[in-house]
Amino acid sequence: NFSDLYLADGAVINLGDDQDVTLTHVPDVGVTLSHNATGDDLPLVFKLKSEEDAITADETIARIDFEAGDSDGTDAVLPAASIAAVAEATFGSGDNSTKLTFGLGESVTSVGRTCFTMDHDGDFHLNRDSRSIKFGDSGTQIALTHIDNTGLSTNGDFTVGDDLLLNSDSAVFSMGAGADVTITHDGSTGATLASAGDFIID
């Protein structure tokens, strides 16, 4: 019936008959969970386990929340980041498909505010409109940006591999900052090359 447990700086909690797993206090930093066995292929496993038997689609299985101190109150006390395992379908004997969701706070709690998702197929989703994937350091970033209900744009030259495929009939390939040169697929027989100025064939 003890309510509190106090351990000294650097205290160690040993687990197992062989004391092979330890939880060690790191003064002024936090704790370290260690697997001290020296054999091959003995990873340290930290498991978050729900004993709920009926897992349905879109239900959170387990979640890790990150919070700051509560001295400032209001938004500052809300979870600032969250990582959750969420069921993609109702679990059964042949299905435990799950996605990982990552939530980040912005004057609201991070819980339920999904910014990006990795689904069970390995697909990566940006879950908010007008978001970008950025490449390079802060001085030379190239951004691939979502345009609402339209597609994607880039702030640099767009380079692809061996082939470029525009899947839609009547697709338009535009060139130039003002899209002044276009190649337009006519949907059935060919394509039209158009320019706001002269064509130069060299």
Side-chain angles (χ1 to χ4, degrees):
N1 295 321
F2 293 105
S3 59
D4 298 304
L5 176 64
Y6 298 95
L7 301 176
D9 281 350
V12 178
I13 297 175
N14 297 284
L15 302 172
D17 291 344
D18 299 324
Q19 301 180 4
D20 52 321
V21 176
T22 60
L23 185 65
T24 304
H25 174 246
V26 181
D28 302 321
V29 176
V31 294
T32 300
L33 182 65
S34 302
H35 191 319
N36 299 315
T38 57
D40 185 38
D41 196 20
L42 291 173
L44 175 64
V45 178
F46 183 73
K47 182 183 294 185
L48 301 180
K49 187 177 187 333
S50 170
E51 289 294 348
E52 183 179 349
D53 293 327
I55 300 293
T56 58
D58 299 321
E59 187 171 358
T60 298
I61 302 165
R63 189 180 71 234
I64 300 173
D65 291 339
F66 302 83
E67 290 186 13
D70 57 5
S71 60
D72 292 331
T74 318
D75 291 345
V77 305
L78 300 175
S82 301
I83 303 173
V86 179
E88 292 183 308
T90 298
F91 277 25
S93 59
D95 194 349
N96 67 340
S97 54
T98 304
K99 61 186 177 183
L100 279 179
T101 67
F102 298 80
L104 300 171
E106 184 185 8
S107 296
V108 293
T109 178
S110 61
V111 177
R113 184 180 182 272
T114 302
C115 294
F116 51 94
T117 301
M118 178 75 74
D119 68 21
H120 75 277
D121 289 322
D123 292 330
F124 185 80
H125 304 260
L126 295 180
N127 295 88
R128 302 202 170 273
D129 288 337
S130 305
R131 299 302 91 196
S132 300
I133 298 176
K134 298 181 179 181
F135 304 87
D137 62 31
S138 59
T140 58
Q141 284 188 347
I142 299 298
L144 186 62
T145 303
H146 172 248
I147 307 300
D148 294 356
N149 302 315
T150 301
L152 299 171
S153 69
T154 179
N155 63 339
D157 293 332
F158 190 71
T159 303
V160 296
D162 295 335
D163 300 303
L164 174 63
L165 175 63
L166 303 180
N167 289 299
S168 302
D169 282 344
S170 304
V172 179
F173 181 73
S174 301
M175 291 170 279
D180 51 333
V181 176
T182 61
I183 301 175
T184 304
H185 176 246
D186 70 5
S188 59
T189 59
T192 300
L193 175 64
S195 173
D198 294 333
F199 288 119
I200 298 175
I201 300 175
D202 188 354

PDB file of all heavy atoms in Angstrom, residues 54-78:
ATOM      1  N   ALA A  54     -11.471  -5.816 -28.635  1.00  0.00           N
ATOM      2  CA  ALA A  54     -12.186  -5.430 -29.849  1.00  0.00           C
ATOM      3  C   ALA A  54     -11.601  -4.137 -30.392  1.00  0.00           C
ATOM      4  O   ALA A  54     -11.962  -3.038 -29.949  1.00  0.00           O
ATOM      5  CB  ALA A  54     -13.672  -5.263 -29.565  1.00  0.00           C
ATOM      6  N   ILE A  55     -10.672  -4.253 -31.344  1.00  0.00           N
ATOM      7  CA  ILE A  55     -10.060  -3.090 -31.978  1.00  0.00           C
ATOM      8  C   ILE A  55     -10.767  -2.850 -33.305  1.00  0.00           C
ATOM      9  O   ILE A  55     -10.788  -3.715 -34.180  1.00  0.00           O
ATOM     10  CB  ILE A  55      -8.555  -3.313 -32.214  1.00  0.00           C
ATOM     11  CG1 ILE A  55      -7.830  -3.558 -30.896  1.00  0.00           C
ATOM     12  CG2 ILE A  55      -7.953  -2.128 -32.952  1.00  0.00           C
ATOM     13  CD1 ILE A  55      -7.793  -2.374 -29.974  1.00  0.00           C
ATOM     14  N   THR A  56     -11.360  -1.668 -33.454  1.00  0.00           N
ATOM     15  CA  THR A  56     -12.096  -1.348 -34.677  1.00  0.00           C
ATOM     16  C   THR A  56     -11.320  -0.309 -35.486  1.00  0.00           C
ATOM     17  O   THR A  56     -10.366   0.307 -35.008  1.00  0.00           O
ATOM     18  CB  THR A  56     -13.488  -0.799 -34.344  1.00  0.00           C
ATOM     19  OG1 THR A  56     -13.357   0.360 -33.511  1.00  0.00           O
ATOM     20  CG2 THR A  56     -14.314  -1.848 -33.607  1.00  0.00           C
ATOM     21  N   ALA A  57     -11.751  -0.104 -36.738  1.00  0.00           N
ATOM     22  CA  ALA A  57     -11.078   0.834 -37.633  1.00  0.00           C
ATOM     23  C   ALA A  57     -11.025   2.230 -37.021  1.00  0.00           C
ATOM     24  O   ALA A  57     -11.984   2.684 -36.392  1.00  0.00           O
ATOM     25  CB  ALA A  57     -11.790   0.874 -38.978  1.00  0.00           C
ATOM     26  N   ASP A  58      -9.881   2.898 -37.194  1.00  0.00           N
ATOM     27  CA  ASP A  58      -9.637   4.268 -36.737  1.00  0.00           C
ATOM     28  C   ASP A  58      -9.516   4.386 -35.220  1.00  0.00           C
ATOM     29  O   ASP A  58      -9.517   5.493 -34.683  1.00  0.00           O
ATOM     30  CB  ASP A  58     -10.721   5.229 -37.236  1.00  0.00           C
ATOM     31  CG  ASP A  58     -10.777   5.301 -38.752  1.00  0.00           C
ATOM     32  OD1 ASP A  58      -9.696   5.287 -39.378  1.00  0.00           O
ATOM     33  OD2 ASP A  58     -11.882   5.353 -39.306  1.00  0.00           O
ATOM     34  N   GLU A  59      -9.399   3.269 -34.529  1.00  0.00           N
ATOM     35  CA  GLU A  59      -9.237   3.298 -33.079  1.00  0.00           C
ATOM     36  C   GLU A  59      -7.748   3.306 -32.731  1.00  0.00           C
ATOM     37  O   GLU A  59      -6.948   2.566 -33.306  1.00  0.00           O
ATOM     38  CB  GLU A  59      -9.908   2.080 -32.446  1.00  0.00           C
ATOM     39  CG  GLU A  59      -9.926   2.117 -30.933  1.00  0.00           C
ATOM     40  CD  GLU A  59     -10.788   1.011 -30.334  1.00  0.00           C
ATOM     41  OE1 GLU A  59     -11.407   0.238 -31.100  1.00  0.00           O
ATOM     42  OE2 GLU A  59     -10.838   0.916 -29.105  1.00  0.00           O
ATOM     43  N   THR A  60      -7.363   4.168 -31.781  1.00  0.00           N
ATOM     44  CA  THR A  60      -5.984   4.242 -31.336  1.00  0.00           C
ATOM     45  C   THR A  60      -5.642   3.046 -30.462  1.00  0.00           C
ATOM     46  O   THR A  60      -6.346   2.754 -29.494  1.00  0.00           O
ATOM     47  CB  THR A  60      -5.728   5.544 -30.556  1.00  0.00           C
ATOM     48  OG1 THR A  60      -5.963   6.660 -31.431  1.00  0.00           O
ATOM     49  CG2 THR A  60      -4.307   5.603 -30.037  1.00  0.00           C
ATOM     50  N   ILE A  61      -4.550   2.364 -30.816  1.00  0.00           N
ATOM     51  CA  ILE A  61      -4.100   1.198 -30.052  1.00  0.00           C
ATOM     52  C   ILE A  61      -3.205   1.638 -28.904  1.00  0.00           C
ATOM     53  O   ILE A  61      -3.334   1.184 -27.768  1.00  0.00           O
ATOM     54  CB  ILE A  61      -3.361   0.215 -30.974  1.00  0.00           C
ATOM     55  CG1 ILE A  61      -4.288  -0.215 -32.120  1.00  0.00           C
ATOM     56  CG2 ILE A  61      -2.857  -0.994 -30.193  1.00  0.00           C
ATOM     57  CD1 ILE A  61      -3.559  -0.878 -33.275  1.00  0.00           C
ATOM     58  N   ALA A  62      -2.279   2.533 -29.198  1.00  0.00           N
ATOM     59  CA  ALA A  62      -1.388   3.085 -28.179  1.00  0.00           C
ATOM     60  C   ALA A  62      -0.846   4.404 -28.700  1.00  0.00           C
ATOM     61  O   ALA A  62      -0.818   4.647 -29.912  1.00  0.00           O
ATOM     62  CB  ALA A  62      -0.256   2.120 -27.846  1.00  0.00           C
ATOM     63  N   ARG A  63      -0.412   5.262 -27.778  1.00  0.00           N
ATOM     64  CA  ARG A  63       0.051   6.589 -28.179  1.00  0.00           C
ATOM     65  C   ARG A  63       1.128   7.076 -27.218  1.00  0.00           C
ATOM     66  O   ARG A  63       1.082   6.804 -26.020  1.00  0.00           O
ATOM     67  CB  ARG A  63      -1.121   7.565 -28.176  1.00  0.00           C
ATOM     68  CG  ARG A  63      -0.801   8.930 -28.780  1.00  0.00           C
ATOM     69  CD  ARG A  63      -1.988   9.873 -28.758  1.00  0.00           C
ATOM     70  NE  ARG A  63      -2.295  10.327 -27.410  1.00  0.00           N
ATOM     71  CZ  ARG A  63      -3.490  10.227 -26.840  1.00  0.00           C
ATOM     72  NH1 ARG A  63      -4.500   9.669 -27.500  1.00  0.00           N
ATOM     73  NH2 ARG A  63      -3.672  10.684 -25.617  1.00  0.00           N
ATOM     74  N   ILE A  64       2.111   7.804 -27.751  1.00  0.00           N
ATOM     75  CA  ILE A  64       3.121   8.483 -26.952  1.00  0.00           C
ATOM     76  C   ILE A  64       2.891   9.982 -27.103  1.00  0.00           C
ATOM     77  O   ILE A  64       2.840  10.498 -28.228  1.00  0.00           O
ATOM     78  CB  ILE A  64       4.547   8.120 -27.415  1.00  0.00           C
ATOM     79  CG1 ILE A  64       4.790   6.609 -27.298  1.00  0.00           C
ATOM     80  CG2 ILE A  64       5.586   8.882 -26.597  1.00  0.00           C
ATOM     81  CD1 ILE A  64       6.112   6.172 -27.889  1.00  0.00           C
ATOM     82  N   ASP A  65       2.717  10.689 -25.994  1.00  0.00           N
ATOM     83  CA  ASP A  65       2.524  12.135 -25.999  1.00  0.00           C
ATOM     84  C   ASP A  65       3.750  12.834 -25.409  1.00  0.00           C
ATOM     85  O   ASP A  65       4.371  12.331 -24.472  1.00  0.00           O
ATOM     86  CB  ASP A  65       1.295  12.532 -25.163  1.00  0.00           C
ATOM     87  CG  ASP A  65      -0.006  12.097 -25.817  1.00  0.00           C
ATOM     88  OD1 ASP A  65      -0.015  11.861 -27.036  1.00  0.00           O
ATOM     89  OD2 ASP A  65      -1.017  12.003 -25.097  1.00  0.00           O
ATOM     90  N   PHE A  66       4.073  13.992 -25.972  1.00  0.00           N
ATOM     91  CA  PHE A  66       5.179  14.809 -25.485  1.00  0.00           C
ATOM     92  C   PHE A  66       4.607  16.133 -24.986  1.00  0.00           C
ATOM     93  O   PHE A  66       3.879  16.806 -25.719  1.00  0.00           O
ATOM     94  CB  PHE A  66       6.196  15.070 -26.609  1.00  0.00           C
ATOM     95  CG  PHE A  66       6.775  13.814 -27.211  1.00  0.00           C
ATOM     96  CD1 PHE A  66       6.093  13.120 -28.206  1.00  0.00           C
ATOM     97  CD2 PHE A  66       8.010  13.334 -26.792  1.00  0.00           C
ATOM     98  CE1 PHE A  66       6.630  11.969 -28.764  1.00  0.00           C
ATOM     99  CE2 PHE A  66       8.550  12.189 -27.353  1.00  0.00           C
ATOM    100  CZ  PHE A  66       7.857  11.499 -28.333  1.00  0.00           C
ATOM    101  N   GLU A  67       4.943  16.499 -23.755  1.00  0.00           N
ATOM    102  CA  GLU A  67       4.436  17.729 -23.174  1.00  0.00           C
ATOM    103  C   GLU A  67       5.560  18.520 -22.520  1.00  0.00           C
ATOM    104  O   GLU A  67       6.551  17.947 -22.051  1.00  0.00           O
ATOM    105  CB  GLU A  67       3.367  17.443 -22.117  1.00  0.00           C
ATOM    106  CG  GLU A  67       2.064  16.909 -22.660  1.00  0.00           C
ATOM    107  CD  GLU A  67       1.004  16.781 -21.578  1.00  0.00           C
ATOM    108  OE1 GLU A  67       1.208  17.343 -20.477  1.00  0.00           O
ATOM    109  OE2 GLU A  67      -0.017  16.122 -21.822  1.00  0.00           O
ATOM    110  N   ALA A  68       5.388  19.841 -22.463  1.00  0.00           N
ATOM    111  CA  ALA A  68       6.321  20.712 -21.764  1.00  0.00           C
ATOM    112  C   ALA A  68       5.805  20.954 -20.344  1.00  0.00           C
ATOM    113  O   ALA A  68       4.784  20.387 -19.926  1.00  0.00           O
ATOM    114  CB  ALA A  68       6.465  22.034 -22.522  1.00  0.00           C
ATOM    115  N   GLY A  69       6.508  21.818 -19.589  1.00  0.00           N
ATOM    116  CA  GLY A  69       6.069  22.158 -18.249  1.00  0.00           C
ATOM    117  C   GLY A  69       4.756  22.922 -18.269  1.00  0.00           C
ATOM    118  O   GLY A  69       4.323  23.418 -19.307  1.00  0.00           O
ATOM    119  N   ASP A  70       4.130  23.042 -17.107  1.00  0.00           N
ATOM    120  CA  ASP A  70       2.799  23.636 -17.055  1.00  0.00           C
ATOM    121  C   ASP A  70       2.786  25.031 -16.437  1.00  0.00           C
ATOM    122  O   ASP A  70       1.733  25.552 -16.095  1.00  0.00           O
ATOM    123  CB  ASP A  70       1.847  22.730 -16.277  1.00  0.00           C
ATOM    124  CG  ASP A  70       2.347  22.440 -14.867  1.00  0.00           C
ATOM    125  OD1 ASP A  70       3.369  23.017 -14.479  1.00  0.00           O
ATOM    126  OD2 ASP A  70       1.701  21.644 -14.175  1.00  0.00           O
ATOM    127  N   SER A  71       3.941  25.676 -16.332  1.00  0.00           N
ATOM    128  CA  SER A  71       3.984  26.964 -15.654  1.00  0.00           C
ATOM    129  C   SER A  71       3.299  28.070 -16.449  1.00  0.00           C
ATOM    130  O   SER A  71       2.800  29.043 -15.873  1.00  0.00           O
ATOM    131  CB  SER A  71       5.437  27.370 -15.375  1.00  0.00           C
ATOM    132  OG  SER A  71       6.170  27.469 -16.585  1.00  0.00           O
ATOM    133  N   ASP A  72       3.270  27.969 -17.781  1.00  0.00           N
ATOM    134  CA  ASP A  72       2.665  29.012 -18.599  1.00  0.00           C
ATOM    135  C   ASP A  72       1.168  28.823 -18.803  1.00  0.00           C
ATOM    136  O   ASP A  72       0.486  29.732 -19.259  1.00  0.00           O
ATOM    137  CB  ASP A  72       3.348  29.078 -19.970  1.00  0.00           C
ATOM    138  CG  ASP A  72       4.783  29.578 -19.865  1.00  0.00           C
ATOM    139  OD1 ASP A  72       5.055  30.346 -18.928  1.00  0.00           O
ATOM    140  OD2 ASP A  72       5.608  29.180 -20.685  1.00  0.00           O
ATOM    141  N   GLY A  73       0.659  27.639 -18.502  1.00  0.00           N
ATOM    142  CA  GLY A  73      -0.766  27.397 -18.622  1.00  0.00           C
ATOM    143  C   GLY A  73      -1.272  27.432 -20.055  1.00  0.00           C
ATOM    144  O   GLY A  73      -0.521  27.492 -21.019  1.00  0.00           O
ATOM    145  N   THR A  74      -2.588  27.418 -20.197  1.00  0.00           N
ATOM    146  CA  THR A  74      -3.295  27.492 -21.478  1.00  0.00           C
ATOM    147  C   THR A  74      -2.721  26.486 -22.478  1.00  0.00           C
ATOM    148  O   THR A  74      -2.574  25.323 -22.173  1.00  0.00           O
ATOM    149  CB  THR A  74      -3.249  28.926 -22.042  1.00  0.00           C
ATOM    150  OG1 THR A  74      -3.484  29.858 -20.971  1.00  0.00           O
ATOM    151  CG2 THR A  74      -4.347  29.137 -23.078  1.00  0.00           C
ATOM    152  N   ASP A  75      -2.330  26.945 -23.684  1.00  0.00           N
ATOM    153  CA  ASP A  75      -1.852  26.022 -24.719  1.00  0.00           C
ATOM    154  C   ASP A  75      -0.551  25.335 -24.327  1.00  0.00           C
ATOM    155  O   ASP A  75      -0.269  24.222 -24.784  1.00  0.00           O
ATOM    156  CB  ASP A  75      -1.641  26.762 -26.039  1.00  0.00           C
ATOM    157  CG  ASP A  75      -2.955  27.215 -26.666  1.00  0.00           C
ATOM    158  OD1 ASP A  75      -4.006  26.714 -26.241  1.00  0.00           O
ATOM    159  OD2 ASP A  75      -2.910  28.070 -27.562  1.00  0.00           O
ATOM    160  N   ALA A  76       0.254  25.977 -23.495  1.00  0.00           N
ATOM    161  CA  ALA A  76       1.559  25.418 -23.152  1.00  0.00           C
ATOM    162  C   ALA A  76       1.464  24.092 -22.425  1.00  0.00           C
ATOM    163  O   ALA A  76       2.408  23.305 -22.433  1.00  0.00           O
ATOM    164  CB  ALA A  76       2.351  26.418 -22.307  1.00  0.00           C
ATOM    165  N   VAL A  77       0.336  23.816 -21.779  1.00  0.00           N
ATOM    166  CA  VAL A  77       0.208  22.576 -21.010  1.00  0.00           C
ATOM    167  C   VAL A  77      -0.323  21.430 -21.856  1.00  0.00           C
ATOM    168  O   VAL A  77      -0.395  20.296 -21.392  1.00  0.00           O
ATOM    169  CB  VAL A  77      -0.711  22.781 -19.786  1.00  0.00           C
ATOM    170  CG1 VAL A  77      -0.212  23.925 -18.932  1.00  0.00           C
ATOM    171  CG2 VAL A  77      -2.163  23.021 -20.218  1.00  0.00           C
ATOM    172  N   LEU A  78      -0.700  21.703 -23.112  1.00  0.00           N
ATOM    173  CA  LEU A  78      -1.263  20.667 -23.970  1.00  0.00           C
ATOM    174  C   LEU A  78      -0.158  19.820 -24.575  1.00  0.00           C
ATOM    175  O   LEU A  78       0.978  20.268 -24.708  1.00  0.00           O
ATOM    176  CB  LEU A  78      -2.091  21.313 -25.091  1.00  0.00           C
ATOM    177  CG  LEU A  78      -3.267  22.174 -24.655  1.00  0.00           C
ATOM    178  CD1 LEU A  78      -3.908  22.838 -25.868  1.00  0.00           C
ATOM    179  CD2 LEU A  78      -4.299  21.343 -23.900  1.00  0.00           C
TER     180      LEU A  78
END
